[in-house]
C-alpha cells in the first residue's frame, strides 16, 4: 500500500492489530440500561450487559438499539467497496459470501448488520452498522478470493472504509 494512494485524513489499518476506537461513539450507550430492555424495531434484547437475540418478557423496557438508531439516522460505521473485473465476473458468489458472513456475525452480535448495498459502476458499496463487521467482510472476501485489500480508518469519526479489488 503506497502512502500516496491514501486519502488525506485516513490512516491505514494494520491487519495484524485490532481496531481500537479513539473517539467516543455517539451511538454507544452512555450508561447501563434497565434489564431486560427490548428494541421495538428489531426485537434484540439487552440482557446481562449486552444485546442478544431471544424472547423478551412482556414487562420489558423498550429502547431502540444502537444498530437500529444508526439505520434510522443513515449513519454507517463501515463502508466496504468491492470492485474490479474479477468482482464483475463473480459478483453473485462474492455477494453471497458477504451476506453469509453478515448472517453469521449477526446471530451472535445483533448490533453487527449490513445497512445497505448500493450498486455503483463496476462496483458495490456495502454499508454496515459496525466497523468490525466491515473489517470482517473485507477479510473474508480477501481470504476467499485474494486481490488487493485496503483499510482506511478515520479515528476522529470511528469510521472504517474497506476497499477490495481484483
Amino acid at each position: 500500500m503506497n502512502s500516496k494512494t491514501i486519502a488525506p485524513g485516513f490512516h491505514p489499518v494494520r491487519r495484524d492489530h485490532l481496531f481500537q476506537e479513539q473517539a467516543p461513539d455517539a451511538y454507544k450507550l452512555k450508561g447501563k440500561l434497565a434489564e431486560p430492555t427490548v428494541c421495538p424495531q428489531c426485537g434484540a434484547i439487552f440482557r446481562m450487559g449486552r444485546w442478544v437475540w431471544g424472547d423478551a418478557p412482556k414487562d420489558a423496557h423498550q429502547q431502540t438499539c444502537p444498530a437500529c438508531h444508526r439505520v434510522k439516522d443513515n449513519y454507517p460505521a463501515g463502508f466496504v467497496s468491492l470492485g474490479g473485473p474479477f468482482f464483475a465476473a463473480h459478483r453473485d458468489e462474492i455477494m453471497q459470501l458477504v451476506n453469509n458472513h453478515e448472517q453469521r456475525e449477526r446471530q451472535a452480535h445483533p448490533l453487527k448488520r449490513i445497512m445497505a448495498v448500493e450498486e455503483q459502476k463496476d462496483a458495490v458499496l456495502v454499508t454496515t452498522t459496525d466497523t468490525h463487521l466491515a473489517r470482517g467482510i473485507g477479510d473474508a472476501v480477501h481470504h476467499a478470493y485474494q486481490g488487493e485489500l485496503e483499510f482506511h480508518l478515520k479515528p476522529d469519526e470511528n469510521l472504517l472504509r474497506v476497499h477490495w479489488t481484483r
Side-chain angles (χ1 to χ4, degrees):
M1 186 165 40
N2 187 337
S3 63
K4 294 178 183 176
T5 62
I6 298 173
F10 282 94
H11 306 283
V13 175
R14 288 188 49 174
R15 295 189 67 217
D16 60 341
H17 286 108
L18 292 174
F19 167 63
Q20 297 295 320
E21 295 175 350
Q22 296 178 5
D25 187 351
Y27 290 91
K28 277 196 173 174
L29 299 174
K30 303 297 184 235
K32 188 173 180 182
L33 295 176
E35 294 188 24
T37 297
V38 65
C39 176
Q41 281 81 30
C42 69
I45 303 165
F46 188 81
R47 184 179 289 145
M48 296 175 59
R50 63 183 297 245
W51 290 96
V52 296
W53 297 115
D55 296 325
K58 293 181 178 152
D59 61 341
H61 298 56
Q62 292 197 356
Q63 181 165 335
T64 303
C65 72
C68 289
H69 193 187
R70 278 190 181 275
V71 171
K72 179 180 167 258
D73 291 350
N74 194 26
Y75 195 79
F79 293 86
V80 181
S81 175
L82 306 167
F86 182 85
F87 174 76
H90 301 274
R91 182 196 179 287
D92 291 340
E93 64 189 71
I94 294 172
M95 290 309 297
Q96 186 64 46
L97 173 71
V98 169
N99 290 324
N100 288 344
H101 183 81
E102 186 258 355
Q103 287 172 4
R104 277 192 311 277
E105 287 292 318
R106 189 175 183 173
Q107 284 178 351
H109 306 281
L111 303 184
K112 292 184 178 185
R113 304 182 197 161
I114 289 177
M115 293 175 59
V117 177
E118 180 184 321
E119 298 290 331
Q120 298 178 332
K121 184 180 178 189
D122 300 326
V124 168
L125 180 66
V126 179
T127 55
T128 67
T129 59
D130 184 82
T131 56
H132 301 286
L133 177 60
R135 181 185 178 129
I137 289 171
D139 283 337
V141 172
H142 184 259
H143 178 76
Y145 299 103
Q146 287 73 50
E148 299 286 326
L149 179 64
E150 295 179 358
F151 298 99
H152 300 284
L153 172 64
K154 194 159 188 182
D156 58 333
E157 294 181 10
N158 284 327
L159 177 65
L160 181 66
R161 293 184 186 273
V162 179
H163 299 281
W164 178 84
T165 57
R166 177 172 167 202

